[in-house]
Amino acid sequence: MIEIKNVSKTFNQRTGGTFTAIDNVSLSIKKGEFLSLLGPSGCGKSTLLNLVAGLEHAQQGTITVNGKPCNTPGPDRVVVFQEHALFPWLTVLDNVAFGLKQKGIPKKQREEMALEQIKSVHLSRFADRYPHELSGGMKQRAAIARALAMDPEILLMDEPFAALDEQTRLILHKELEEIWMRTKKTILFITHNIREAVILSDRVLVMSTRPGTIKKEFNVQAARPRDSADPVLRHTENSIMDVLADELEKVVKEEMGDEYSLKKDSLSNRSSDSMGSGI
Ligand SMILES: Nc1ncnc2c1ncn2[C@@H]1O[C@H](COP(=O)(O)OP(=O)(O)OP(=O)(O)O)[C@@H](O)[C@H]1O
Ligand SMILES: [Mg+2]
């Protein structure tokens, strides 16, 4: 469904010269697939997602969705960001109905459609609240409801749960899994959290940095709904941790000098810990 072929993206640097954020990346994403991108900070995950969203343009290569180039944002692709996604001056209902209003759907009908999505993320009791009256988890659920209300074929999620505490995150994992199983949307998901990637995805791609390329691909062949105690998940997490640890070692050496080494043993064994923020 999504075909990324030999895509490279460079940015002009303020100090002069160019910087290659993505280098010759090729990737196919099947209809209905849940695919996650993991990788060190700055490896080009958001750049890749923004290219698929049509928010950025590649200098080389092509990106198509259902065979059509995606040079501009389109109703078939909706992005869910980490935060600041809701309009603070609108209630949850009006936020979720916003895109439907833009589409010209009459008030009664769009409110019904919005309420249905609000119900699907279990926020019915909070439909009349403003964003500042919601918890972080509720805000993200409202943002997901808003994306679903547009009924896109593809959800592009850039660290949607990164700002949430661990318990809220676990609840949101269950909700997103349930939404995905029900709607069979195609999801491109970015995270720094290995456990999150493994629990949610059919496939996890680990990216390497400078320039950003795809280093390794993991298929997660555990039954759904996923059980966090499933040994298949644990095993996949450990394999991903090994590949990421090598990548982080490379980044650390580049940033701190060759004499610096990141001992693998010193990395947390809890892959639920995020490995992002500054690395
Ligand atoms: N508009 C821009 N102008 C210049 N450089 C940019 C721009 N956007 C991104 N970059 C650079 O491209 C590289 C990739 O950035 P990107 O945001 O895609 O990384 P990321 O993997 O999403 O990182 P993080 O995990 O921190 O969100 C980074 O080195 C970044 O500094
Ligand atoms: Mg990013």
Side-chain angles (χ1 to χ4, degrees), residues 11-13 19-22 39-48 50 56 158-159 190 192 207 210 276-279:
F11 289 108
N12 291 326
Q13 288 192 300
F19 176 83
T20 304
I22 298 274
S41 183
C43 72
K45 302 179 292 297
S46 297
T47 303
L48 194 57
N50 290 338
E56 297 274 8
D158 194 347
E159 301 195 49
I190 295 179
H192 276 289
M207 289 183 67
R210 292 184 199 132
S277 307
I279 340 182

Side-chain angles (χ1 to χ4, degrees), residues 1-3 29-33 49 52-53 63-66 68 70 74-80 147-148 150-157 183-189:
M1 181 186 213
I2 306 175
E3 276 292 345
I29 306 176
K30 288 196 283 279
K31 186 172 171 56
E33 189 175 18
L49 183 138
V52 177
I63 303 183
T64 54
V65 171
N66 289 324
K68 289 190 222 113
C70 46
D76 53 343
R77 289 155 280 141
V78 173
V79 186
V80 179
L148 291 171
M150 301 304 287
D151 198 24
E153 282 187 272
I154 300 166
L155 283 178
L156 302 169
M157 308 185 85
T183 63
K184 278 288 175 186
K185 301 275 180 210
T186 307
I187 301 185
L188 176 59
F189 188 94

Side-chain angles (χ1 to χ4, degrees), residues 79-274:
V79 186
V80 179
F81 293 105
Q82 183 173 333
E83 49 195 343
H84 311 306
L86 300 173
F87 298 123
W89 60 89
L90 295 180
T91 62
V92 168
L93 177 62
D94 290 340
N95 261 291
V96 175
F98 184 82
L100 302 172
K101 189 176 177 184
Q102 302 289 98
K103 271 186 170 177
I105 296 172
K107 190 170 193 300
K108 189 163 179 301
Q109 195 185 344
R110 69 174 181 256
E111 287 193 353
E112 270 168 24
M113 290 164 78
L115 282 171
E116 190 186 320
Q117 295 308 333
I118 290 169
K119 189 173 169 208
S120 83
V121 296
H122 309 109
L123 270 185
S124 299
R125 286 166 51 207
F126 302 91
D128 293 332
R129 298 248 188 131
Y130 287 91
H132 76 272
E133 297 169 320
L134 302 175
S135 69
M138 288 175 185
K139 278 185 212 162
Q140 282 314 73
R141 275 147 68 196
I144 292 170
R146 190 171 68 172
L148 291 171
M150 301 304 287
D151 198 24
E153 282 187 272
I154 300 166
L155 283 178
L156 302 169
M157 308 185 85
D158 194 347
E159 301 195 49
F161 308 144
L164 305 179
D165 62 83
E166 192 63 19
Q167 284 77 20
T168 309
R169 205 182 250 260
L170 295 179
I171 295 168
L172 270 284
H173 291 167
K174 278 282 151 222
E175 292 216 351
L176 183 59
E177 181 181 55
E178 189 264 307
I179 287 167
W180 177 80
M181 288 173 74
R182 180 166 46 81
T183 63
K184 278 288 175 186
K185 301 275 180 210
T186 307
I187 301 185
L188 176 59
F189 188 94
I190 295 179
T191 178
H192 276 289
N193 187 301
I194 304 175
R195 159 134 291 224
E196 177 168 276
V198 169
I199 283 221
L200 290 170
S201 312
D202 296 319
R203 199 153 50 113
V204 179
L205 303 182
V206 177
M207 289 183 67
S208 70
T209 190
R210 292 184 199 132
T213 53
I214 290 166
K215 187 170 183 186
K216 203 163 162 93
E217 171 176 324
F218 294 85
N219 285 303
V220 190
Q221 278 153 346
R224 292 186 188 266
R226 296 265 162 90
D227 171 1
S228 59
D230 188 332
V232 174
L233 297 182
R234 294 269 166 204
H235 178 75
T236 313
E237 271 176 47
N238 289 337
S239 310
I240 294 177
M241 179 69 104
D242 283 346
V243 174
L244 255 182
D246 288 343
E247 202 47 42
L248 294 175
E249 171 92 23
K250 194 178 101 187
V251 174
V252 162
K253 277 196 161 36
E254 272 178 25
E255 288 183 359
M256 304 196 192
D258 273 345
E259 68 287 358
Y260 198 92
S261 176
L262 188 71
K263 294 205 173 44
K264 273 192 197 169
D265 305 349
S266 69
L267 288 173
S268 162
N269 283 328
R270 286 185 56 229
S271 54
S272 58
D273 290 349
S274 284

Side-chain angles (χ1 to χ4, degrees), residues 27-40:
L27 163 68
S28 302
I29 306 176
K30 288 196 283 279
K31 186 172 171 56
E33 189 175 18
F34 197 126
L35 183 122
S36 288
L37 295 177
L38 272 172

